[in-house]
Amino acid sequence: MEGLKMKKSKISASMMCADLINLKETIEIFEKERVDYLHIDVMDGEFVPNFGLGVDYIRGLRELTSIPLDIHLMVKDPEYKLQWIGIKETDIVSIHYESTYQVQRVLDWLVPFGCKRFLAINPATPIYVLEEVLDYIDGINLLMVNPGFAGQKIVPSTLEKARKLKVFLTEHGKESIIVEVDGNITPENGNTLRKLGAGIFVAGTSSIFHGDVVQYQMNIEKFREAIR
């Protein structure tokens, strides 16, 4: 996975963890600290047992900042909902392997948007499901918790799964595919996963969104040092 190790690690701030009251101040801190992406969990209450950030929230964020969005679609049958979102070329869009019978078709339907195409897989989904779509994706969003709620603890087996994924991509000559890790990414877990080839780290309550908003700058600096 040498190709990934040579690339700078990136932070994707999980906006479902943000305090709406201090949203503008939070965004200003993220811009100052050069946070790479804003992670947007779109949840429909059907694919996952929760409702999450929607199209109006996405539209409002775009008016606040030019930081690219990392849009994580936790919705059933995403192929019929892509047009609602206002996807930009600078975005990452993750669709779930488990959310549709037409995985390859959804990835194809993302092409006209010009965004980076990621495939997300849940903790219990084996990595071999990726084999037939490796030519259609720019990245893999490896869920380290079961999706739907912030504040969960990492599923222990996902650390071994990350190691297997590193080997899997190397064996298939796909070292250039980006690995994103999402769920309870503490500085310690982030450091471990960086060594296993992860390139994008979703940062939530376990890393940057804890304490008062004035602490976020220090939290980001500590987290960035851990995943360097």
Side-chain angles (χ1 to χ4, degrees), residues 59-74:
R59 190 178 300 115
L61 268 186
R62 293 204 193 274
E63 293 178 5
L64 278 179
T65 183
S66 60
I67 298 175
L69 303 187
D70 174 18
I71 301 170
H72 181 188
L73 296 179
M74 290 181 278

PDB file of all heavy atoms in Angstrom, residues 59-74:
ATOM      1  N   ARG A  59     -27.344  22.474   1.079  1.00  0.00           N
ATOM      2  CA  ARG A  59     -27.405  23.745   0.369  1.00  0.00           C
ATOM      3  C   ARG A  59     -26.929  24.896   1.268  1.00  0.00           C
ATOM      4  O   ARG A  59     -26.183  25.780   0.832  1.00  0.00           O
ATOM      5  CB  ARG A  59     -28.839  24.001  -0.097  1.00  0.00           C
ATOM      6  CG  ARG A  59     -28.985  25.179  -1.050  1.00  0.00           C
ATOM      7  CD  ARG A  59     -30.423  25.332  -1.509  1.00  0.00           C
ATOM      8  NE  ARG A  59     -30.893  24.143  -2.215  1.00  0.00           N
ATOM      9  CZ  ARG A  59     -31.856  23.345  -1.781  1.00  0.00           C
ATOM     10  NH1 ARG A  59     -32.459  23.598  -0.631  1.00  0.00           N
ATOM     11  NH2 ARG A  59     -32.229  22.303  -2.486  1.00  0.00           N
ATOM     12  N   GLY A  60     -27.333  24.875   2.519  1.00  0.00           N
ATOM     13  CA  GLY A  60     -26.909  25.914   3.455  1.00  0.00           C
ATOM     14  C   GLY A  60     -25.423  25.894   3.720  1.00  0.00           C
ATOM     15  O   GLY A  60     -24.774  26.953   3.803  1.00  0.00           O
ATOM     16  N   LEU A  61     -24.844  24.697   3.850  1.00  0.00           N
ATOM     17  CA  LEU A  61     -23.398  24.585   4.062  1.00  0.00           C
ATOM     18  C   LEU A  61     -22.618  25.172   2.898  1.00  0.00           C
ATOM     19  O   LEU A  61     -21.584  25.812   3.084  1.00  0.00           O
ATOM     20  CB  LEU A  61     -22.991  23.125   4.254  1.00  0.00           C
ATOM     21  CG  LEU A  61     -22.931  22.556   5.663  1.00  0.00           C
ATOM     22  CD1 LEU A  61     -22.354  21.153   5.621  1.00  0.00           C
ATOM     23  CD2 LEU A  61     -22.130  23.427   6.604  1.00  0.00           C
ATOM     24  N   ARG A  62     -23.098  24.936   1.698  1.00  0.00           N
ATOM     25  CA  ARG A  62     -22.398  25.446   0.517  1.00  0.00           C
ATOM     26  C   ARG A  62     -22.390  26.972   0.496  1.00  0.00           C
ATOM     27  O   ARG A  62     -21.485  27.577  -0.091  1.00  0.00           O
ATOM     28  CB  ARG A  62     -23.037  24.900  -0.751  1.00  0.00           C
ATOM     29  CG  ARG A  62     -22.861  23.390  -0.913  1.00  0.00           C
ATOM     30  CD  ARG A  62     -22.960  22.992  -2.373  1.00  0.00           C
ATOM     31  NE  ARG A  62     -23.112  21.558  -2.569  1.00  0.00           N
ATOM     32  CZ  ARG A  62     -22.109  20.686  -2.636  1.00  0.00           C
ATOM     33  NH1 ARG A  62     -20.859  21.089  -2.479  1.00  0.00           N
ATOM     34  NH2 ARG A  62     -22.347  19.399  -2.862  1.00  0.00           N
ATOM     35  N   GLU A  63     -23.362  27.596   1.129  1.00  0.00           N
ATOM     36  CA  GLU A  63     -23.378  29.054   1.210  1.00  0.00           C
ATOM     37  C   GLU A  63     -22.414  29.564   2.275  1.00  0.00           C
ATOM     38  O   GLU A  63     -21.949  30.705   2.200  1.00  0.00           O
ATOM     39  CB  GLU A  63     -24.797  29.545   1.506  1.00  0.00           C
ATOM     40  CG  GLU A  63     -25.777  29.285   0.373  1.00  0.00           C
ATOM     41  CD  GLU A  63     -27.182  29.730   0.708  1.00  0.00           C
ATOM     42  OE1 GLU A  63     -27.377  30.333   1.784  1.00  0.00           O
ATOM     43  OE2 GLU A  63     -28.091  29.489  -0.114  1.00  0.00           O
ATOM     44  N   LEU A  64     -22.103  28.707   3.248  1.00  0.00           N
ATOM     45  CA  LEU A  64     -21.205  29.102   4.336  1.00  0.00           C
ATOM     46  C   LEU A  64     -19.732  28.923   3.998  1.00  0.00           C
ATOM     47  O   LEU A  64     -18.881  29.645   4.522  1.00  0.00           O
ATOM     48  CB  LEU A  64     -21.506  28.274   5.594  1.00  0.00           C
ATOM     49  CG  LEU A  64     -22.650  28.703   6.498  1.00  0.00           C
ATOM     50  CD1 LEU A  64     -22.780  27.732   7.668  1.00  0.00           C
ATOM     51  CD2 LEU A  64     -22.451  30.123   7.017  1.00  0.00           C
ATOM     52  N   THR A  65     -19.415  27.946   3.156  1.00  0.00           N
ATOM     53  CA  THR A  65     -18.006  27.585   2.969  1.00  0.00           C
ATOM     54  C   THR A  65     -17.778  26.938   1.609  1.00  0.00           C
ATOM     55  O   THR A  65     -18.705  26.391   0.999  1.00  0.00           O
ATOM     56  CB  THR A  65     -17.551  26.608   4.073  1.00  0.00           C
ATOM     57  OG1 THR A  65     -16.163  26.316   3.918  1.00  0.00           O
ATOM     58  CG2 THR A  65     -18.350  25.319   4.040  1.00  0.00           C
ATOM     59  N   SER A  66     -16.530  26.977   1.176  1.00  0.00           N
ATOM     60  CA  SER A  66     -16.140  26.294  -0.063  1.00  0.00           C
ATOM     61  C   SER A  66     -15.407  24.984   0.232  1.00  0.00           C
ATOM     62  O   SER A  66     -14.890  24.344  -0.694  1.00  0.00           O
ATOM     63  CB  SER A  66     -15.242  27.200  -0.907  1.00  0.00           C
ATOM     64  OG  SER A  66     -14.063  27.534  -0.188  1.00  0.00           O
ATOM     65  N   ILE A  67     -15.350  24.564   1.513  1.00  0.00           N
ATOM     66  CA  ILE A  67     -14.742  23.276   1.838  1.00  0.00           C
ATOM     67  C   ILE A  67     -15.531  22.187   1.115  1.00  0.00           C
ATOM     68  O   ILE A  67     -16.760  22.142   1.201  1.00  0.00           O
ATOM     69  CB  ILE A  67     -14.760  23.010   3.358  1.00  0.00           C
ATOM     70  CG1 ILE A  67     -13.936  24.066   4.111  1.00  0.00           C
ATOM     71  CG2 ILE A  67     -14.200  21.607   3.664  1.00  0.00           C
ATOM     72  CD1 ILE A  67     -14.015  23.930   5.623  1.00  0.00           C
ATOM     73  N   PRO A  68     -14.862  21.290   0.393  1.00  0.00           N
ATOM     74  CA  PRO A  68     -15.580  20.223  -0.328  1.00  0.00           C
ATOM     75  C   PRO A  68     -16.370  19.330   0.629  1.00  0.00           C
ATOM     76  O   PRO A  68     -16.000  19.166   1.805  1.00  0.00           O
ATOM     77  CB  PRO A  68     -14.461  19.441  -1.011  1.00  0.00           C
ATOM     78  CG  PRO A  68     -13.295  20.358  -1.048  1.00  0.00           C
ATOM     79  CD  PRO A  68     -13.402  21.223   0.162  1.00  0.00           C
ATOM     80  N   LEU A  69     -17.442  18.747   0.118  1.00  0.00           N
ATOM     81  CA  LEU A  69     -18.282  17.871   0.922  1.00  0.00           C
ATOM     82  C   LEU A  69     -17.959  16.409   0.652  1.00  0.00           C
ATOM     83  O   LEU A  69     -17.630  16.020  -0.469  1.00  0.00           O
ATOM     84  CB  LEU A  69     -19.765  18.134   0.627  1.00  0.00           C
ATOM     85  CG  LEU A  69     -20.253  19.568   0.847  1.00  0.00           C
ATOM     86  CD1 LEU A  69     -21.776  19.627   0.693  1.00  0.00           C
ATOM     87  CD2 LEU A  69     -19.825  20.129   2.187  1.00  0.00           C
ATOM     88  N   ASP A  70     -18.059  15.636   1.698  1.00  0.00           N
ATOM     89  CA  ASP A  70     -17.876  14.183   1.674  1.00  0.00           C
ATOM     90  C   ASP A  70     -19.242  13.610   2.027  1.00  0.00           C
ATOM     91  O   ASP A  70     -19.578  13.455   3.200  1.00  0.00           O
ATOM     92  CB  ASP A  70     -16.792  13.813   2.692  1.00  0.00           C
ATOM     93  CG  ASP A  70     -16.596  12.325   2.876  1.00  0.00           C
ATOM     94  OD1 ASP A  70     -17.028  11.551   2.008  1.00  0.00           O
ATOM     95  OD2 ASP A  70     -16.001  11.937   3.905  1.00  0.00           O
ATOM     96  N   ILE A  71     -20.041  13.326   1.008  1.00  0.00           N
ATOM     97  CA  ILE A  71     -21.455  12.997   1.200  1.00  0.00           C
ATOM     98  C   ILE A  71     -21.618  11.487   1.319  1.00  0.00           C
ATOM     99  O   ILE A  71     -21.343  10.739   0.378  1.00  0.00           O
ATOM    100  CB  ILE A  71     -22.298  13.545   0.032  1.00  0.00           C
ATOM    101  CG1 ILE A  71     -22.130  15.064  -0.066  1.00  0.00           C
ATOM    102  CG2 ILE A  71     -23.773  13.180   0.213  1.00  0.00           C
ATOM    103  CD1 ILE A  71     -22.721  15.667  -1.324  1.00  0.00           C
ATOM    104  N   HIS A  72     -22.070  11.055   2.489  1.00  0.00           N
ATOM    105  CA  HIS A  72     -22.229   9.637   2.803  1.00  0.00           C
ATOM    106  C   HIS A  72     -23.718   9.316   2.752  1.00  0.00           C
ATOM    107  O   HIS A  72     -24.480   9.670   3.653  1.00  0.00           O
ATOM    108  CB  HIS A  72     -21.646   9.373   4.196  1.00  0.00           C
ATOM    109  CG  HIS A  72     -21.722   7.947   4.636  1.00  0.00           C
ATOM    110  ND1 HIS A  72     -21.398   7.569   5.925  1.00  0.00           N
ATOM    111  CD2 HIS A  72     -22.075   6.805   3.993  1.00  0.00           C
ATOM    112  CE1 HIS A  72     -21.549   6.266   6.051  1.00  0.00           C
ATOM    113  NE2 HIS A  72     -21.965   5.783   4.888  1.00  0.00           N
ATOM    114  N   LEU A  73     -24.142   8.644   1.683  1.00  0.00           N
ATOM    115  CA  LEU A  73     -25.554   8.357   1.466  1.00  0.00           C
ATOM    116  C   LEU A  73     -25.949   7.056   2.156  1.00  0.00           C
ATOM    117  O   LEU A  73     -25.706   5.963   1.645  1.00  0.00           O
ATOM    118  CB  LEU A  73     -25.845   8.277  -0.031  1.00  0.00           C
ATOM    119  CG  LEU A  73     -25.646   9.570  -0.815  1.00  0.00           C
ATOM    120  CD1 LEU A  73     -25.938   9.348  -2.295  1.00  0.00           C
ATOM    121  CD2 LEU A  73     -26.524  10.688  -0.267  1.00  0.00           C
ATOM    122  N   MET A  74     -26.552   7.191   3.325  1.00  0.00           N
ATOM    123  CA  MET A  74     -27.092   6.048   4.047  1.00  0.00           C
ATOM    124  C   MET A  74     -28.594   6.007   3.778  1.00  0.00           C
ATOM    125  O   MET A  74     -29.416   6.245   4.662  1.00  0.00           O
ATOM    126  CB  MET A  74     -26.770   6.165   5.533  1.00  0.00           C
ATOM    127  CG  MET A  74     -25.296   5.977   5.831  1.00  0.00           C
ATOM    128  SD  MET A  74     -24.907   6.070   7.587  1.00  0.00           S
ATOM    129  CE  MET A  74     -24.815   7.847   7.789  1.00  0.00           C
TER     130      MET A  74
END
